[in-house]
Amino acid sequence: MPTLSTRDGTEIYYKDWGAGRPVVFSHGWPLNADSWESQMVFLASRGYRCIAHDRRGHGRSSQPWDGNDMDTYADDLATLIEALDLQGAVLIGFSTGGGEVARYIGRHGTRRVAKAALISAVPPLMLKTKANPGGLPIEAFDQIRAGVGADRSQFFSDVSAAFFGANRPGSRATQGMRDAFWFQGMQAGHKAALDCIKAFSETDFSEDLAKFDVPTLVLHGDDDQIVPIGAAALRSSKLVKGATLKIYPGAPHGLTDTHKDELSADLLAFLES
């Protein structure tokens, strides 16, 4: 398997498909690079080089005890981009991966980046604070931690319903989507899965978003039960100068699967614009 070593010795697995302009995908929690396969096949078949890695502690990457935080995730992404000497890359982040992309730009700039896309992404801040009254209360994330700690297999199975909107009338979710979510979640290390909850929920990306200086697509479903659109895309699209906001009516959080055809087409249009 293709891997690279980070500065602390963590082995990061990645897949590298196709040839052409590089498109780099960052996945959500508790998933891995496989969650992007539909978009990668679509774009790689149309002349793009599609790269996706398993975040440290997730999937086929190694499971260090430390470093499960946004700064380190962003630095790992930088290691990947620099090791492959990518230039003019398009960074696409889903959910937690959107935070990873934001923090990458905040810490490393856009010297190697041409465009960015934030899909169902956690920025600018999920946690409810005095400055972010539209966020979710800390108790919501404490419940996630408790569920993962008590029986993460059952928790991942249960939360997949809201993730894909299977609890909504007329849902596009399938049992296969939910099973794939569970399977990928169980490949993540337990420590990494727990630590990442704090990383995606309590990290404030506002200053990172202010540093975006490339064309940016912010795309979100308006029935996202995991990362509600109000404190996420609707705010991020205002913090990123010149961002394009696209809303999928009725779409859930996991629209990379439930709305994969629409998303692939919109990503291709964004890449070619």
Side-chain angles (χ1 to χ4, degrees), residues 47-253:
Y48 290 90
R49 179 184 179 187
C50 294
I51 301 157
H53 67 293
D54 290 353
R55 186 172 299 116
R56 63 170 54 218
H58 296 68
R60 290 139 292 200
S61 293
S62 57
Q63 299 181 4
W65 185 257
D66 297 313
N68 302 304
D69 58 82
M70 278 294 166
D71 285 353
T72 308
Y73 295 159
D75 291 349
D76 289 348
L77 178 58
T79 297
L80 173 69
I81 291 171
E82 291 162 13
L84 299 180
D85 193 24
L86 304 182
Q87 304 289 342
V90 178
L91 305 186
I92 302 177
F94 168 78
S95 194
T96 298
E100 182 176 281
V101 167
R103 183 51 52 92
Y104 169 87
I105 290 177
R107 286 173 69 83
H108 300 277
T110 56
R111 181 172 61 89
R112 293 177 178 269
V113 179
K115 295 182 178 182
L118 305 177
I119 313 299
S120 302
V122 299
L125 174 62
M126 286 197 73
L127 182 66
K128 181 178 181 178
T129 65
K130 289 183 179 179
N132 186 42
L136 296 173
I138 190 66
E139 290 78 12
F141 304 109
D142 288 340
Q143 289 175 6
I144 296 173
R145 272 183 282 268
V148 172
D151 183 350
R152 67 181 180 132
S153 179
Q154 188 61 53
F155 179 82
F156 291 154
S157 179
D158 292 342
V159 78
S160 68
F163 190 94
F164 294 111
N167 54 352
R168 299 298 204 222
S171 171
R172 299 187 189 184
T174 66
Q175 189 61 47
M177 292 176 191
R178 297 183 63 182
D179 290 347
F181 178 95
W182 174 89
F183 179 68
Q184 290 178 47
M186 292 306 295
Q187 291 180 42
H190 200 178
K191 175 65 159 53
L194 285 167
D195 286 354
C196 192
I197 298 165
K198 180 179 179 67
F200 72 64
S201 63
E202 298 183 36
T203 304
D204 189 340
F205 301 98
S206 300
E207 293 184 5
D208 303 302
L209 296 174
K211 295 179 180 179
F212 278 47
D213 58 1
V214 295
T216 301
L217 172 66
V218 179
L219 191 151
H220 219 102
D222 68 4
D223 192 29
D224 190 325
Q225 302 170 68
I226 305 297
V227 182
I229 190 173
L234 297 186
R235 291 192 62 216
S236 288
S237 60
K238 295 177 181 177
L239 294 173
V240 175
K241 185 178 180 179
T244 297
L245 174 64
K246 189 173 184 66
I247 299 172
Y248 284 8
H253 188 61

Side-chain angles (χ1 to χ4, degrees), residues 2-74:
T3 63
L4 56 85
S5 295
T6 67
R7 62 186 180 185
D8 68 354
T10 299
E11 292 292 316
I12 300 294
Y13 165 85
Y14 66 95
K15 54 183 71 180
D16 188 347
W17 294 352
R21 184 179 183 183
V23 183
V24 183
F25 296 86
S26 292
H27 64 78
W29 176 91
L31 307 174
N32 59 50
D34 294 350
S35 63
W36 279 116
E37 285 192 336
S38 293
Q39 287 73 39
M40 291 179 70
V41 168
F42 181 88
L43 294 174
S45 299
R46 288 162 175 78
Y48 290 90
R49 179 184 179 187
C50 294
I51 301 157
H53 67 293
D54 290 353
R55 186 172 299 116
R56 63 170 54 218
H58 296 68
R60 290 139 292 200
S61 293
S62 57
Q63 299 181 4
W65 185 257
D66 297 313
N68 302 304
D69 58 82
M70 278 294 166
D71 285 353
T72 308
Y73 295 159

